[in-house]
Structures are given as C-alpha cells and as structure tokens.
Amino acid sequence: MPPSMKAPHRIGQPITRREDRRFLTGRGRYADNTAPSGILSALFVRSPHAHARIVRIDKKSALRVPGLVAIYTAEDTAADKLGHLPSISEIRDSEGKRHREPSHPPMSAGKMRHVGDIVAMIIADTLNQARDAADLLVVEYEELPAVVTVAQALAAGAPLLHDEAPGNLMCTWSTGDAAATDAAFAKAAHLSKLAIRSPRQIAHYLEPRAAWTAYDVPDDIVTLTLSSQGVHIPHQLMCERVLRVPKEKLRLVTEDVGGGFGPKYQVYAEAALMAWATRKLSRGLRWTCERSELAVADVHSRDLVASAELALDANGRFLAIRVKAEANIGAYVSMFAPTTPTTGLTKVISGLYRIPAIHVEFECAFTNTVPVDAMRGAGKPETLFLLERLVDMAAQETVRPPSELRRLNLLKPEDMPYPTASGYTYDAADCPRLFEKALQAADEQGFAIRRGNSEARGLRRGLGISCHLHATGGIADEHVVVAVDAQRVLAMVGTQSQGQGHETVYAQILSAALGVPVDKIEIRQGDTRTISKGGGTGGSSSMIISGNTLRRAAEVVIQRGLELAAERLETASQDIAFSQGVFEVVGTDRRVSLLELAGGKPFHGESVFADKVESYPTGVMVCEVEVDPETGVTRIDRFTAVADCGVVVNPRLLAGQMHGGTVQGIGYCLMEGAIYDEENGQLLSRTLMNYALPRADDVPSFRIETISTPSPNNYMGFRGVGELPTNGAPAAVANAVLDALLPLGVRHLDMPITAYKVWRALNPRE
C-alpha cells in the first residue's frame, strides 16, 4: 500500500516512534551539533569557593591572549542594567508574607555564594584561546565561612548569604489543619514515627546544556538556539526581567533535546549572557556545558530533611499524619524552588489512602550550594519514600502484613473525586483494582518460596510495595494551530519534547481525529517566531495540555472543512458527514478527502487550552530484591509496576516512560547522591567518577501493566505518566531492601541505600 493510502492510526495503538530513525542514524538536531562554524566561543569562569568576596579581578594578562575578543564581569552587566534570574512560583507564610527572593543577577557583583557561581564570561575565536585567557585571569578572593545544610544555615550566628534574608531563612510555610491533626493523634491507638534525610540529586542527561547565537544586524535581532524544555517561558523572562529588550528583538529556538527532566526548564545565566553579549559584539557565539561543569552549573534537586508521624486507630485505620520538614533551597531561589518541596510534598502526602487529618510545616533555607529546583517528580519521590516507609513501619509495629495494612486504608472508586486533608482533590482512581492487579502480577503468593530459595544460597530476599501517585502540573499556556494543505497536516504546539515522543503521539491524536495517516502529519515546536504561545514541557502534562488542545483544534479543522466541502460538493454543510479523512454527502457517492479539499484552498483550525491541567495518575509497584549480607550488595530480581494513566495514546511509549522513570527512581534509591564537604561547601561528587548512575546491569526486566480510569478534568481523559514511576520506585526498592534486612535487625536506612551503607548497618562494630 503506498504511503498516501496508509490507514489512520487509532488512539491506543502501539506504533513505533517516528523520531527514532532520525536519532539512531545520527541526524538529530541538537544545539551543539547545529552551531555554525566561524562563530566565537564563550567560556564561563566560575567560583572555586562556596562563599567568598571578590577582592579584585585583573584582566591584563588574559587580554593579551591571541584571539581573545572580550572579558565581561558583573561590572559590565550592571552597567547595562541587566535584571535578575527570577522565580515564577511563590509561597506565603501564615501572615501572608511572600517568600524572600534576594537578587540573582547573571553574574554576582562582589560575592560568590556557591561553587560554580559565575565570575566572568570570556569570549575568543576558539575555545582553547578562551581557556588560555581563563588561566591568565587573576581573581583574588576573600574566602568566607560556608553553610551546606539547613541545620547549619539556620543555626544562631550562621554566616549570612544574603542581607535580604536574615537568618538565611527563605520562608516558613504550613498547610493543613493543625487542631484536627492534634485531636486525631490524641485519640490514636498507635503512633509510628520516621525521620529521613533525602539525598540531593543531579540530572546527568545525555545532552548537557548548549547554546549558540546569531545576530541579524539590519533588524537588530538576536537568535538564541538552546537546549531547553520550551522556549516561550525563557523568552518572556529574558526579555522582560533579565535583558529588558522588546520581545521581537530576541528569538529563541529549540530543536531536538537529549533529556530535560526539569533542570532544562530554567532560565540560566549562561543563556541570558549569550544573548546579551551577542548584541554587544554583533557576533554569533557558542557554548557547550562540559560534563564536569554541569554539576555546578545546572540546578540540583531533592535535599530534604523531614520527620513524620502516622496515627492509627485500634483497627489499623489511618487517622492523621503530620510532617515537619526542612528544604535546602541552595544559594538562590530558582524558577520553581518555592513550591517544589512544599506543595510538591503536600499534593501527595496522603498517598492512595484515606487520611482524615494532615498538617505539614516547612522551613526553607539558603545554603552555599547549587540552587535546588524541580527534577522528575518535583518533591514527590522523597515524599512517597517517607510515607511508604512509614506505612511499612506501622505494619511491623502493629504486627500486620504491609499489604493488609495498605488494603485496609486504600481509597475506593466511590470516594472520587477525593478531597485530601492537605487541600488537593484527586480526580479519579480505582485504587483497590490497581493494588490487587499489581500483587497478582507480581505473584506475591509465591514470595515465601522464593525467599526460602534465596536463603538457601546465603542471600536475604525482601519484597517491597509502593502505592504512589503524581500531581500533574506544568504551565498551560497553550495555543495550537493545525494547518492543512494538499500534502500534509502541520501542527504547531507550545510544548517541547526532550525524548518523550511528542512527534509520534501528537500525530497519532491528529491521525485518529482527522483520518490522515501519521506520515502525512508534521509536528513543529520550539520557535518563538512561528509559534505564538507555549508553556513548555513539565509536570507530566504534555498530553493533557497539547493533546487535548490538538484534538480541539482538529475539530475546528473538521468544522471548517465541512463548510468548504459544502461549497465544493454544492450542498448544505448539515448534509455532509466526516469520517476517516473524507467528507461525504450522506446517502451519495459524492465525497472529497481532507487533503484533496485543502489542495484547492489551504485552511487551518486553532484552539487554546480549555481544560484543567491537574490530574492524579496512580500506580502500585512491587519489587523483590536479594541482598548479600557479606558484601551489602543489593540485586533487584523482580519488578512489577501497574499504572493508571487514564486514556493511553500509545502503550509502547507509555512503557518507555515507565522504564525510564523507574530506572531514575532506582538510581535515586540505591546510589545517587550529591555530596558536599560540610566544612567548606566543596561538591565532592562533581563528575561521573564519583557520582553513581544506574546502568543496565543494575536493573531487571520490568513487568509493566496498566488499567485505565479516565480523568474527568480534561476532554480526552488523559492523566500523565512521565513522573509517576520516578515517584514510586524509590519507596518500592527501599521497602524491599529493608524487608530483607528486617530479620537481621535493620529497621530503616536513608537513601541512597548503598552496599557500604547496608554492610555497615550489618557490621556496626567493624
């Protein structure tokens, strides 16, 4: 069958990803690969100290380097009145006061606040010449005492990062009903308690950040091509708050992106400085972040200290939970930092359970570390680790199987929509069905036999369960345009793929709606010149935001097509039916296809986002591990995940999201952690020599299954999937490891649960 005659693809078909041929044959268009030859190279000189004043900067020797074009410092950016890198979320304390947000200019004047803070920007003909100049640039520092943890930062007399933030406190914040929670605890038959310290995580995507620029002299327009999670938010913030230039004077472009996970959502100093310096020099520039630079240049994530108490009645039913937490914000307030740990926690602290009373208190503090912001899960993996570990401990203390305690407290379909005691409303879920399907698929009944077999080989086997969910978010500033001509359907969207397969699933939605084969559909993204609006991609919401809006725009196309077909077929539009890409006069053989109709007069349909972005995809994971007590090494033997993501467009892509998200959660649980020297603020895990990432032999084959409970909050019933497995996997793995170690007297270990940490817990005196 020729391509033009291929049938349209339905929602739910597991078609292969269209973009993979391009990626796998080396034709991906990544920022660094697309930079033209002959443009200047930029390099950023960064502070080697966590906390220091700049006494002086001497450029003389550096300026003599052949090929050196310019050296810029904070004096230059201040002279041009550049603004600061803003946060776009906020929290308020009990008195209604907004969080403190000290100035964060692209280059800090006078004082460095974390290792990696930008001191200077060097521009030369080649990167090696820029490196030579950096070696000759003299920067004299007065080193200051540093604080790394929240406890250090909030201690009396602690070194102060910002004059605008007394006591290094960004904000205190609370939510829930304290009185109701206290009353529930007062009548509880049992209390379980747990304190955790969640490790800090670094996103080591395959493609480090990169950017290059071009300058249109006659029109005074800078074009910045960069690796991002969407161009429109950075474009607005750079123009309005940092560069302070009219929007038409800056164009942002993003093509292919090799991983984002949250940190590529940011407006970074490097990108803003590239655009600024391009206009100053009237020359194009290029910059690519080096792998060793990434760890101090890109935002980190997690880094939470929290204690929680769970109250149960005599029958094991949950009565209340209360949490006290400390969030390490890092040196500055980055884009989503205020709400990432705070509302990120409260959206999911109820889990899949009925918990009638909840109270949460936070202190958020500045430290001399890289700023912390959203990464896949955005506050939820550490929260669900805390909750699900607490549920396991409550089961042990009340002598109940962990599965039975969960089963007793699960929400039911008739509870939906469920208003949680923390102030959020779950849209739809069938938690009992999800739970039973997961246990059956994991063969929980056969675990005892498998445990015995492991013990016969000198190994300890454990089974861990995680009931988890995600709260979809993202910026729903979407305006989709779907244009049709004789050759194709062209859709322009404001979200941005970083490997999720948007070109495939978006085309699949349009194919199902318009009856046009997928290979006749083109998806465009990532250009502020040709796409009017967009919130980018984050919060597991691309299908909710763009998917629904694409479908609505397709319906506008069909309606417009009915009018044009009526003219073409010389009848009234109400006499025409549309099906499988064809307009047909009902009861006759008079018909015209969509593309044929557009051949005479191209037309389009457009729509803006008109739904709720919030939904709550749910999941249950069951993990089995074997732990070698002689070495502390953990091997994941079996891993089952059942997810409820509402309507699934492409099961193949959903499975890929589940695999990738689960692996990130496994890495977080077992090995990842950004380690700082708490005396001087040096990042000790700066390279992949000392920051562990999961590899193929660290993970098993996954068993992935789904159920579907459509969300009532959006037109198509989508619920999101990208972050769901990352939220659930750490708790499932940790519960399995600690189930294996419980007979040996180990009740709890914080992440990362490394082999050494396990061995040390089993051999405390050695």
Side-chain angles (χ1 to χ4, degrees):
M1 182 182 292
S4 61
M5 298 296 291
K6 286 182 181 178
H9 287 93
R10 300 185 306 276
I11 300 294
Q13 283 186 296
I15 67 173
T16 56
R17 288 173 26 132
R18 306 168 68 206
E19 45 270 81
D20 283 353
R21 179 174 295 276
R22 180 171 82 250
F23 296 152
L24 296 174
T25 55
R27 290 181 290 135
R29 292 186 58 78
Y30 301 96
D32 183 69
N33 305 125
T34 58
S37 59
I39 59 176
L40 302 173
S41 292
L43 179 145
F44 296 96
V45 177
R46 301 180 184 277
S47 171
H49 304 293
H51 202 192
R53 288 191 183 90
I54 296 178
V55 177
R56 69 183 182 98
I57 298 176
D58 188 343
K59 304 178 184 178
K60 292 177 193 169
S61 297
L63 288 171
R64 299 191 189 104
V65 171
L68 193 282
V69 174
I71 299 176
Y72 295 124
T73 65
E75 289 184 2
D76 302 293
T77 57
D80 282 359
K81 296 181 171 55
L82 265 61
H84 95 131
L85 308 173
S87 166
I88 61 173
S89 70
E90 69 174 23
I91 54 175
R92 294 181 180 272
D93 64 19
S94 57
E95 298 178 355
K97 295 178 182 177
R98 188 179 186 270
H99 70 267
R100 294 164 176 162
E101 188 173 335
S103 178
H104 182 194
M107 287 192 278
S108 295
K111 190 175 180 182
M112 300 293 104
R113 293 176 173 85
H114 69 87
V115 172
D117 227 351
I118 296 176
V119 177
M121 179 184 191
I122 297 180
I123 299 169
D125 288 337
T126 70
L127 181 58
N128 282 336
Q129 290 169 336
R131 287 170 174 156
D132 290 342
D135 288 340
L136 295 172
L137 185 70
V138 176
V139 184
E140 184 180 336
Y141 299 94
E142 176 194 353
E143 192 170 358
L144 303 171
V147 291
V148 171
T149 68
V150 174
Q152 289 177 331
L154 297 182
L160 189 65
L161 272 76
H162 303 277
D163 293 339
E164 308 98 308
N168 294 318
L169 188 67
M170 187 199 83
C171 195
T172 59
W173 183 84
S174 63
T175 192
D177 189 328
T181 303
D182 290 344
F185 271 85
K187 66 179 183 181
H190 180 80
L191 303 180
S192 290
K193 300 179 181 181
L194 177 64
I196 67 164
R197 181 173 181 180
S198 167
R200 179 179 282 235
Q201 202 169 8
I202 302 172
H204 280 282
Y205 9 69
L206 284 174
E207 179 207 17
R209 283 191 298 122
W212 61 271
T213 62
Y215 185 60
D216 182 338
V217 176
D219 293 329
D220 184 31
I221 297 173
V222 173
T223 297
L224 172 65
T225 298
L226 73 166
S227 181
S228 80
Q229 289 181 223
V231 293
H232 291 86
I233 299 300
H235 181 253
Q236 178 182 351
L237 295 176
M238 279 191 207
C239 291
E240 293 179 358
R241 303 202 200 178
V242 185
L243 303 176
R244 294 169 176 161
V245 297
K247 289 184 179 179
E248 62 271 16
K249 295 300 182 182
L250 177 65
R251 177 189 180 192
L252 263 57
V253 175
T254 291
E255 296 188 77
D256 292 327
V257 181
F261 310 117
K264 283 187 184 172
Y265 222 139
Q266 303 288 317
V267 175
Y268 283 103
E270 295 89 352
L273 290 169
M274 291 277 285
W276 167 74
T278 295
R279 178 168 278 109
K280 284 185 76 70
L281 297 170
S282 300
R283 298 277 302 275
L285 312 176
R286 70 182 299 168
W287 169 74
T288 298
C289 187
E290 297 184 3
R291 182 65 63 177
S292 59
E293 184 182 21
L294 179 156
V296 296
D298 292 17
V299 294
H300 295 176
S301 65
R302 323 298 187 206
D303 205 339
L304 181 78
V305 174
S307 61
E309 297 177 281
L310 180 64
L312 297 81
D313 68 14
N315 296 317
R317 294 193 182 276
F318 300 157
L319 298 176
I321 188 169
R322 57 188 172 200
V323 180
K324 290 188 176 182
E326 297 175 346
N328 190 335
I329 298 300
Y332 303 100
V333 183
S334 52
M335 276 180 62
F336 305 103
T339 53
T340 294
T342 51
T343 61
L345 181 147
T346 54
K347 286 177 179 178
V348 299
I349 189 61
S350 194
L352 301 189
Y353 311 113
R354 176 180 290 279
I355 305 180
I358 294 174
H359 188 244
V360 176
E361 294 180 329
F362 260 94
E363 289 185 307
C364 304
F366 294 106
T367 66
N368 294 113
T369 62
V370 172
V372 172
D373 210 305
M375 181 179 166
R376 199 172 193 170
K380 300 164 191 75
E382 55 268 48
T383 301
L384 289 160
F385 172 84
L386 174 65
L387 175 65
E388 289 295 293
R389 284 294 306 128
L390 197 54
V391 171
D392 258 29
M393 296 177 76
Q396 295 159 14
E397 292 162 4
T398 59
V399 197
R400 290 180 171 88
S403 59
E404 288 302 320
L405 184 60
R406 288 179 169 85
R407 187 178 281 117
L408 177 68
N409 287 283
L410 284 175
L411 293 167
K412 297 178 172 56
E414 55 267 30
D415 296 324
M416 301 296 156
Y418 176 70
T420 69
S422 57
Y424 299 91
T425 300
Y426 298 167
D427 54 341
D430 189 342
C431 300
R433 181 184 169 207
L434 191 71
F435 189 73
E436 301 305 336
K437 187 177 180 71
L439 293 185
Q440 182 179 4
D443 185 24
E444 184 201 22
Q445 296 297 318
F447 171 71
I449 295 174
R450 294 190 293 276
R451 171 173 266 182
N453 292 337
S454 295
E455 289 179 354
R457 293 183 286 114
L459 304 175
R460 294 287 175 170
R461 179 176 284 263
L463 182 145
I465 301 171
S466 169
C467 296
H468 56 279
L469 71 163
H470 183 63
T472 58
I475 299 172
D477 188 18
E478 181 68 305
H479 177 192
V480 161
V481 177
V482 176
V484 188
D485 61 29
Q487 303 299 321
R488 64 175 182 177
V489 173
L490 169 64
M492 292 180 285
V493 299
T495 49
Q496 176 69 49
S497 179
Q498 311 119 52
Q500 296 96 330
H502 288 181
E503 292 175 43
T504 301
V505 290
Y506 290 174
Q508 203 165 343
I509 289 171
L510 289 175
S511 179
L514 299 176
V516 176
V518 161
D519 63 356
K520 292 286 185 180
I521 299 173
E522 180 182 345
I523 307 297
R524 286 190 188 169
Q525 57 185 358
D527 189 338
T528 56
R529 174 178 289 175
T530 59
I531 299 168
S532 63
K533 295 172 67 176
T537 291
S540 300
S541 59
S542 290
M543 291 307 298
I544 294 171
I545 294 171
S546 287
N548 282 291
T549 314
L550 279 163
R551 178 57 185 267
R552 292 182 188 276
E555 292 178 355
V556 177
V557 166
I558 293 168
Q559 187 59 45
R560 178 61 178 145
L562 287 170
E563 297 167 0
L564 294 174
E567 295 177 12
R568 176 82 167 261
L569 301 174
E570 298 180 339
T571 188
S573 59
Q574 58 265 32
D575 294 332
I576 298 177
F578 178 78
S579 178
Q580 296 295 299
V582 175
F583 297 94
E584 181 179 54
V585 179
V586 177
T588 75
D589 61 357
R590 295 160 59 199
R591 63 186 63 185
V592 61
S593 74
L594 177 67
L595 297 185
E596 184 184 358
L597 182 66
K601 184 179 181 181
F603 59 99
H604 73 277
E606 54 190 279
S607 181
V608 297
F609 183 68
D611 299 87
K612 290 182 179 179
V613 74
E614 298 86 4
S615 75
Y616 288 83
T618 54
V620 174
M621 289 178 167
V622 184
C623 175
E624 286 187 35
V625 303
E626 286 185 326
V627 179
D628 185 344
E630 294 296 319
T631 63
V633 171
T634 294
R635 183 182 72 86
I636 301 175
D637 184 55
R638 298 161 68 97
F639 201 105
T640 302
V642 181
D644 186 349
C645 305
V647 173
V648 176
V649 175
N650 189 313
R652 186 190 298 264
L653 271 67
L654 181 141
Q657 288 283 331
M658 292 293 292
H659 290 178
T662 301
V663 171
Q664 283 193 292
I666 288 171
Y668 182 43
C669 180
L670 294 182
M671 60 197 71
E672 293 189 51
I675 307 300
Y676 276 93
D677 185 318
E678 294 188 7
E679 291 187 5
N680 57 31
Q682 290 294 320
L683 180 60
L684 304 179
S685 51
R686 185 165 172 168
T687 73
L688 293 181
M689 292 292 290
N690 42 39
Y691 185 93
L693 290 174
R695 303 177 185 228
D697 59 355
D698 292 313
V699 297
S701 294
F702 299 115
R703 178 166 184 171
I704 307 294
E705 298 191 16
T706 61
I707 67 172
S708 180
T709 308
S711 173
N713 285 356
N714 63 81
Y715 185 44
M716 298 286 287
F718 300 141
R719 297 178 66 197
V721 65
E723 295 167 271
L724 178 66
T726 308
N727 293 351
V733 176
N735 280 340
V737 173
L738 289 154
D739 181 56
L741 299 179
L742 185 62
L744 302 178
V746 179
R747 294 198 67 230
H748 178 73
L749 294 172
D750 275 341
M751 300 183 291
I753 306 177
T754 61
Y756 175 76
K757 192 177 287 185
V758 171
W759 183 88
R760 174 55 65 195
L762 296 176
N763 300 273
R765 293 188 177 88
E766 294 189 33

